[in-house]
Amino acid sequence: VQARAALDPAAVREGTARAHEAFGELTFLVNNAGIRHYAPLLEYTAEQWRDTIDVDLTGAFCCAQAIVPRLLENGGGRIVNIGSIVGRIGTPTGSRIAAPRRESRG
């Protein structure tokens, strides 16, 4: 599922179903969707912030919600959420992903 498609629960469920048909039993999910708007904090817009939160956090939520029923059917599995070092160590233009990527650690 591509980054923005991860925001559409129906698209994510459809992608999960296609993956199940193609590969059989699903045992894991890697949440790695992310979006970047490069700008220093004082130039970063609220719209860019919402876009980042939507893709980085809401997308991960939608993907996890879609696959958990399959994992439960199989007796369990793993979900790996990919974060960013920027969530731990700031950079001049990294404010846009610091919070959502830090939160993706769970």
Side-chain angles (χ1 to χ4, degrees):
V1 177
Q2 293 186 353
R4 291 206 195 285
L7 298 175
D8 179 355
V12 175
R13 285 191 303 273
E14 181 182 324
T16 302
R18 285 196 322 263
H20 184 259
E21 289 171 12
F23 304 111
E25 184 177 288
L26 300 178
T27 58
F28 68 93
L29 165 68
V30 177
N31 272 320
N32 192 36
I35 191 166
R36 293 190 179 150
H37 298 287
Y38 291 101
L41 176 64
L42 297 178
E43 296 173 19
Y44 207 68
T45 68
E47 181 179 344
Q48 290 170 317
W49 174 256
R50 284 187 293 275
D51 195 34
T52 302
I53 293 295
D54 275 351
V55 172
D56 289 9
L57 294 180
T58 305
F61 166 78
C62 290
C63 290
Q65 192 175 46
I67 199 167
V68 164
R70 302 268 185 192
L71 298 179
L72 292 174
E73 287 173 8
N74 298 329
R78 300 285 187 263
I79 297 177
V80 177
N81 293 315
I82 303 297
S84 171
I85 191 67
V86 176
R88 297 183 67 170
I89 301 170
T91 65
T93 60
S95 61
R96 84 241 176 257
I97 64 169
R101 287 303 184 155
R102 178 71 176 177
E103 290 304 312
S104 71
R105 293 179 57 216

